[in-house]
């Protein structure tokens, strides 16, 4: 098997709201859309995102009423401070402020209008005193 792309499919209540969030703030572009459906992509290594309206007939019956919850959509990036400042300036609520973990992970989170948590991660070298 050779995987040629990765896509995450998220079931949300308001496809248009998430679509606006991902295109306005996260650099995604619409690839295809229909009532209750949007396919979004970027030109870099980010995974594609498919948004499906909760209750849509396309989903198997046992999945139709589930909501994208309990997951974090994480993107590894560079220049994390400037990304947090940019998003804040655009009016995006930072739901977890920038912090650095002892193992060298620097991260912050935002949440889209449907409750989808998006986390930005940049790997840094842990400080010398934390490794002592």
């Amino acid at each position: 098997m050779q995987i040629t792309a990765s896509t995450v499919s998220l079931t949300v209540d308001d496809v248009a709201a998430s679509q606006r969030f991902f295109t306005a703030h996260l650099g995604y572009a619409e690839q295809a859309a229909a009532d209750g459906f949007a396919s979004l992509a970027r030109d870099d290594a980010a995974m594609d995102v498919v948004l499906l309206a909760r209750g849509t007939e396309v989903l198997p019956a046992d999945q139709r009423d589930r909501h994208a919850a309990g997951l974090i959509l994480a993107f590894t990036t560079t220049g994390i401070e400037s990304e947090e400042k940019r998003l804040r300036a655009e009016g995006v609520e930072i739901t977890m402020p920038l912090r650095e973990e002892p193992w060298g992970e620097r991260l912050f989170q935002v949440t889209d209008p449907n409750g989808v948590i998006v986390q930005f991660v940049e790997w840094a070298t842990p400080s010398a005193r934390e490794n002592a």
Side-chain angles (χ1 to χ4, degrees):
M1 167 176 50
Q2 180 180 4
I3 296 173
T4 60
S6 295
T7 304
V8 62
S9 181
L10 304 171
T11 306
V12 296
D13 289 321
D14 186 345
V15 169
S18 284
Q19 181 177 7
R20 281 190 303 275
F21 182 85
F22 277 79
T23 57
H25 302 297
L26 305 184
Y28 276 83
E30 179 184 295
Q31 301 300 300
D35 187 33
F37 164 82
S39 177
L40 309 174
R42 288 179 46 106
D43 289 334
D44 58 13
M47 71 182 72
D48 294 347
V49 174
V50 169
L51 302 165
L52 293 172
R54 218 170 84 173
T56 186
E57 298 284 324
V58 172
L59 294 170
D62 65 334
Q63 297 176 19
R64 287 182 190 149
D65 289 319
R66 292 186 186 170
H67 181 271
L71 69 91
I72 297 172
L73 185 58
F75 297 111
T76 302
T77 187
T78 58
I80 199 162
E81 290 98 354
S82 61
E83 284 305 308
E84 183 191 34
K85 286 178 187 172
R86 177 187 65 81
L87 289 167
R88 195 179 298 276
E90 291 177 2
V92 175
E93 181 184 359
I94 307 300
T95 50
M96 185 179 78
L98 182 63
R99 67 184 198 204
E100 184 171 332
E101 300 295 349
W103 52 87
E105 179 182 26
R106 301 177 71 223
L107 65 147
F108 73 93
Q109 293 179 347
V110 300
T111 304
D112 97 328
N114 283 291
V116 175
I117 299 169
V118 181
Q119 179 171 292
F120 298 89
V121 177
E122 182 176 54
W123 293 96
T125 305
S127 69
R129 77 165 207 268
E130 292 169 336
N131 288 328

